[in-house]
């Protein structure tokens, strides 16, 4: 009986090894050791260990060696489980840029980026050149990263960093290879498609989505506020002119104001502008909604100016009166 069991086990093991050897391109392989069970892997399998064999994938001009720790996402984008980052090969796969976000993602957390030595990159924030310092990007805005190889710029990826509260995004087109699982607005279900959700209605959104190739889930929680600041510059007419002091009203504690007078920033000011000149004011709320105002305070006389003129007139009047008095009392000898 014991010999029969051993014979059955031996024959079963032999048949399993034979099937693995005959099917080196199997997409799903039952590994007796249990070390490899990636049902999303498609490639060559080692006939003895059951592990994936490194595979070469060519995408346009780029060539990359993939293994069980890396998943192809789309285009020129891969996910590396060991790095926990998205990898973008450049220069025909000779160098790789790794970023903590996928192409097209919106996040409200810092983004980490690993740039190999010698790689030439051009980084833009809201369309303006951005100086990349270190391996963490924190500034809020829309980013585009290009490679500058061979004297030409080629886009690698783009992404957006927004605040927990924001007015800079009105929708979210989920990155290619990802799909929305569920979404709510203020805790209630909201309409969305597999790859798109509108964020125009104000409130707190909770969006859960997944990368189909890796199975990794992401959540974006953000409060949208598209209402601009309600700051008013009292005393300015419809033509942008003021003939006296300008009073700043309606400012919230979370609003920030930057004011230029005759193209020079005013470092400190209260809620009243009194000096004549041309003003530019930027008012930004905590959702990054911004209102820009341009106005001119014309030359005018305030109470001090009027008092000064009265004093001058009094002095002149006194002097004239003195001359008249002197003339009447002047004796001719």
């Amino acid at each position: 009986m014991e010999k029969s069991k051993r014979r059955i086990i031996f024959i079963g093991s032999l048949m399993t090894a034979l099937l693995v050897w005959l099917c080196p391109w199997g997409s799903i392989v039952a590994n007796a050791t249990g070390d490899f069970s990636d049902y999303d892997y498609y490639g060559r399998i080692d006939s003895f260990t059951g592990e994936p064999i490194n595979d070469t994938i060519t995408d346009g001009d780029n060539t990359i060696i993939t293994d069980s720790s890396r998943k192809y996402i789309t285009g020129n984008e891969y996910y590396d489980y060991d790095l926990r980052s998205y990898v973008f090969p450049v220069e025909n796969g000779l160098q790789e840029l790794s970023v903590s976000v996928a192409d097209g993602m919106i996040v409200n957390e810092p983004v980490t980026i690993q740039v190999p030595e010698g790689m030439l990159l051009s980084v833009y924030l809201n369309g303006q050149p951005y100086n990349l310092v270190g391996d963490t990007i924190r500034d809020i805005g829309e980013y585009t990263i290009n490679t500058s190889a061979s004297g030409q710029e080629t886009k690698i990826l783009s992404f957006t960093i927004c605040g927990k509260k924001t007015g800079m995004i009105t929708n979210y087109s989920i990155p290619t290879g990802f799909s929305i699982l569920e979404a709510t607005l203020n805790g209630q279900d909201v309409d969305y498609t597999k790859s798109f959700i509108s964020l125009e209605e104000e409130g707190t959104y909770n969006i859960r989505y997944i990368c189909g190739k890796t199975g990794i889930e992401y959540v974006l929680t953000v409060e949208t506020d598209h209402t601009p600041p309600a700051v008013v510059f009292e005393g300015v007419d419809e033509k942008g002119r003021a003939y006296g002091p300008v009073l700043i009203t309606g400012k919230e504690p979370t609003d920030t104001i930057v004011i230029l007078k005759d193209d020079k920033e005013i470092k400190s000011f209260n809620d009243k502008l009194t000096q004549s000149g041309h003003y530019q004011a930027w008012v930004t709320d905590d959702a990054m909604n911004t209102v820009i105002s341009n106005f001119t305070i014309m030359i005018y006389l305030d109470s001090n100016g009027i008092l000064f003129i009265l004093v001058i007139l009094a002095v002149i009047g006194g002097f004239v009166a003195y001359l008249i008095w002197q003339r009447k009392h002047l004796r001719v000898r």
Side-chain angles (χ1 to χ4, degrees), residues 311-327:
V311 171
I312 295 296
L313 291 176
V315 171
I316 294 174
F319 181 70
V320 171
Y322 173 76
L323 291 178
I324 293 174
W325 182 85
Q326 280 285 84
R327 186 173 182 178

Side-chain angles (χ1 to χ4, degrees), residues 230-246:
V231 172
V232 176
F233 294 90
E234 293 185 0
V236 179
D237 63 19
E238 58 184 13
K239 294 183 178 180
R241 294 179 297 190
Y243 296 92
V246 172

Side-chain angles (χ1 to χ4, degrees), residues 4 22 55 60 67 73-74 93 99 119 131 135 166 168 180 188 197 203-204 212 251 270 285 293 295 306 314:
S4 298
L22 290 174
D55 200 9
D67 53 35
I73 305 300
T74 184
V99 189
M119 178 180 285
N131 184 26
D135 59 1
T166 184
M168 63 182 295
I180 300 177
Q188 303 296 320
I197 180 171
T204 300
K251 180 179 179 295
N270 50 28
D285 63 16
S293 298
F295 56 91
I306 293 174

Side-chain angles (χ1 to χ4, degrees), residues 80-311:
D80 193 297
Y81 290 98
D82 294 336
L83 298 176
R84 295 185 178 180
S85 294
Y86 292 88
V87 176
F88 302 85
V90 298
E91 297 185 9
N92 297 325
L94 297 178
Q95 290 184 312
E96 293 181 343
L97 176 71
S98 61
V99 189
S100 60
V101 295
D103 182 22
M105 267 191 176
I106 298 177
V107 296
N108 45 27
E109 297 177 348
V111 172
T112 58
I113 179 171
Q114 298 293 330
V115 183
E117 184 177 356
M119 178 180 285
L120 299 177
L121 291 180
S122 296
V123 183
Y124 297 92
L125 171 58
N126 298 327
Q128 300 299 318
Y130 177 81
N131 184 26
L132 182 62
V133 178
D135 59 1
T136 303
I137 300 176
R138 302 179 184 275
D139 296 326
I140 291 175
E142 298 176 353
Y143 288 85
T144 299
I145 300 180
N146 298 341
T147 177
S148 303
S150 304
Q152 294 183 343
E153 291 194 8
T154 303
K155 178 184 173 182
I156 301 176
L157 78 153
S158 61
F159 57 88
T160 298
I161 299 178
C162 65
K164 299 291 185 181
K165 183 178 182 181
T166 184
M168 63 182 295
I169 55 176
T170 57
N171 62 76
Y172 190 8
S173 294
I174 303 300
T176 303
F178 294 71
S179 58
I180 300 177
L181 296 176
E182 63 177 358
T184 60
L185 170 60
N186 298 326
Q188 303 296 320
D189 291 339
V190 65
D191 292 336
Y192 62 89
T193 68
K194 180 180 179 181
S195 59
F196 179 87
I197 180 171
S198 173
L199 305 175
E200 291 187 356
E201 187 175 350
E202 294 185 346
T204 300
Y205 288 85
N206 192 79
I207 306 168
R208 187 167 66 93
Y209 59 104
I210 189 172
C211 175
K213 295 293 182 68
T214 64
I216 299 177
E217 293 187 11
Y218 298 86
V219 176
L220 174 65
T221 301
V222 63
E223 179 184 355
T224 60
D225 175 6
H226 305 300
T227 304
V231 172
V232 176
F233 294 90
E234 293 185 0
V236 179
D237 63 19
E238 58 184 13
K239 294 183 178 180
R241 294 179 297 190
Y243 296 92
V246 172
L247 188 64
I248 303 174
T249 62
K251 180 179 179 295
E252 297 292 337
T254 54
D255 293 340
T256 59
I257 301 181
V258 176
I259 297 180
L260 301 184
K261 177 184 174 294
D262 298 328
D263 297 326
K264 293 184 179 179
E265 183 177 353
I266 302 176
K267 297 298 182 181
S268 60
F269 57 90
N270 50 28
D271 293 335
K272 190 176 184 180
L273 304 173
T274 59
Q275 295 184 2
S276 299
H278 178 67
Y279 289 82
Q280 291 177 300
W282 286 264
V283 184
T284 304
D285 63 16
D286 57 349
M288 300 303 291
N289 297 302
T290 301
V291 173
I292 303 176
S293 298
N294 292 273
F295 56 91
T296 300
I297 299 180
M298 311 300 288
I299 297 176
Y300 71 97
L301 294 177
D302 57 11
S303 58
N304 292 328
I306 293 174
L307 180 61
F308 176 75
I309 290 178
L310 291 177
V311 171

